[in-house]
Amino acid sequence: MEASHNNPLRTESSEEKPHKAGFVNIIGNPNVGKSTLMNALVGERLSIITSKAQTTRHRILGIVNGDDFQAILSDTPGIIKPAYELQASMMDFVKSAFEDADVLIYMVELGEKELKDEAFFNKIRNTDIPVLLLINKIDKGNEELLEAARTHWKEQVPNAEIFAISALENFGVAEVFNRILEALPVSPPFYPKDALTDKPERFFVNEIIREKILMHYKKEIPYSVEIDTEEFFEEDNIIRMRSVIMVERESQKGIIIGHKGAALKRVGIEARKDLEVFFGKKVHMELYVKVNKNWRSSERELRRFGYNGK
């Protein structure tokens, strides 16, 4: 997928420098702002952002290109204890973040004191990879809280460089990006220089529809849903797509559709508007709901939706 506009953080240089490229992997507890940070760095709304925890299910590669660098960013699911097959698969993506990282970003929010998984915490403390520890959401606190957080995390992760940021307000992000560039190894690019992400268009259709479901439905509904875009046809002036919302039970299907189809219609209208902005052209979308019993616990279905496996 090609970039549609420039990233404000990209730097251009006329000097001949050795080309740097590498993988920058972002990990942390659910809902600390990992997706917001990655979108601020990449300059496109690549990763699903809502106030509900556990919204990022796949490692999303966003790619930031300059004349003499390529930073490949992955946005991993928040670290949780697996409760069912889907969450176990999400944790596989987090484990793989350690395997290919050239720079590791460990993200916490102001006031947070611990990582939910002690084994991951030990991995972070003992890694040879450069670790940038970002204290996020500093706009929600004061200087005293921030100083206490700096002291706490310096003791907890002595090998980390600490940065205070607000990803949402874009405060401190440029400094983090400059440090990332310094830490990248000398390497040719891994992807074409016009690439924005390694994900296909259908992936982002699915993510945007899922974001609307996360926004408008309560309780277990958002976490029992997967989206499958079965058709995607791009013409000169319009993209035509057909997407199916998979749920686990008939009762969930009724809730998604709503009275006289009103709830499903709202999801479709809002998703279509976002997709038109994302793709830069008109979108015609057909949206359906199907029951796919116990898909979250089926290895075959999880593989089909791109989980078990990198």
Side-chain angles (χ1 to χ4, degrees), residues 53-54 73 94 107 114 121 293 306 308:
Q54 212 44 50
L73 298 140
V94 177
M107 201 161 176
E114 61 182 359
F121 205 15
K293 286 186 180 173
N308 298 353

Side-chain angles (χ1 to χ4, degrees), residues 26 28-39 46-50 52-61 74-80 86-87 89-91 93-94 199 203 207 210-211 214 223 226 307:
I26 307 169
N29 283 335
N31 231 22
V32 295
K34 297 181 296 296
S35 298
T36 310
L37 173 69
M38 204 187 80
N39 292 340
L46 287 183
S47 201
I48 195 167
I49 306 168
T50 77
K52 287 191 171 83
Q54 212 44 50
T55 55
T56 306
R57 289 186 184 169
H58 299 263
R59 287 187 70 190
I60 296 176
L61 289 184
S74 76
D75 172 23
T76 57
I79 292 165
I80 50 170
L86 171 62
Q87 287 191 345
S89 173
M90 291 162 80
M91 289 304 93
F93 287 112
V94 177
K199 297 289 184 186
F203 175 84
E207 286 292 279
R210 193 159 66 87
E211 179 187 44
L214 280 157
Y223 306 101
E226 187 55 82
Y307 296 108

Side-chain angles (χ1 to χ4, degrees), residues 122-153:
N122 286 330
K123 259 187 165 180
I124 290 164
R125 278 190 291 232
N126 295 308
T127 184
D128 294 328
I129 303 161
V131 177
L132 311 186
L133 191 148
L134 310 190
I135 303 169
N136 190 29
K137 305 186 184 180
I138 61 167
D139 49 305
K140 295 188 174 177
N142 56 34
E143 193 63 37
E144 192 180 337
L145 271 174
L146 179 57
E147 279 313 306
R150 281 183 188 277
T151 303
H152 171 78
W153 289 113

Side-chain angles (χ1 to χ4, degrees), residues 200-268:
E201 283 89 347
R202 291 180 195 221
F203 175 84
F204 292 100
V205 175
N206 298 347
E207 286 292 279
I208 285 169
I209 294 169
R210 193 159 66 87
E211 179 187 44
K212 301 309 169 194
I213 292 167
L214 280 157
M215 285 168 61
H216 292 305
Y217 298 89
K218 293 175 183 173
K219 296 185 179 173
E220 90 285 358
I221 290 289
Y223 306 101
S224 304
V225 162
E226 187 55 82
I227 318 299
D228 187 15
T229 296
E230 296 180 338
E231 294 178 6
F232 185 98
F233 301 113
E234 187 163 3
E235 300 169 17
D236 288 344
N237 301 314
I238 192 168
I239 302 171
R240 301 180 191 279
M241 58 187 74
R242 181 180 191 277
S243 300
V244 176
I245 300 169
M246 301 282 186
V247 294
E248 291 191 300
R249 297 194 299 276
E250 282 291 340
S251 59
Q252 294 167 344
K253 181 179 178 180
I255 293 166
I256 292 283
I257 292 170
H259 182 61
K260 294 185 177 177
L264 182 63
K265 186 176 181 182
R266 177 171 65 177
V267 167

Side-chain angles (χ1 to χ4, degrees), residues 264-294:
L264 182 63
K265 186 176 181 182
R266 177 171 65 177
V267 167
I269 288 169
E270 291 185 9
R272 180 178 54 77
K273 285 178 181 172
D274 277 11
L275 287 164
E276 286 181 340
V277 171
F278 189 85
F279 290 116
K281 61 170 70 175
K282 197 168 171 59
V283 166
H284 173 77
M285 173 190 283
E286 293 178 27
L287 198 54
Y288 300 88
V289 186
K290 280 184 188 173
V291 177
N292 186 347
K293 286 186 180 173
N294 301 319

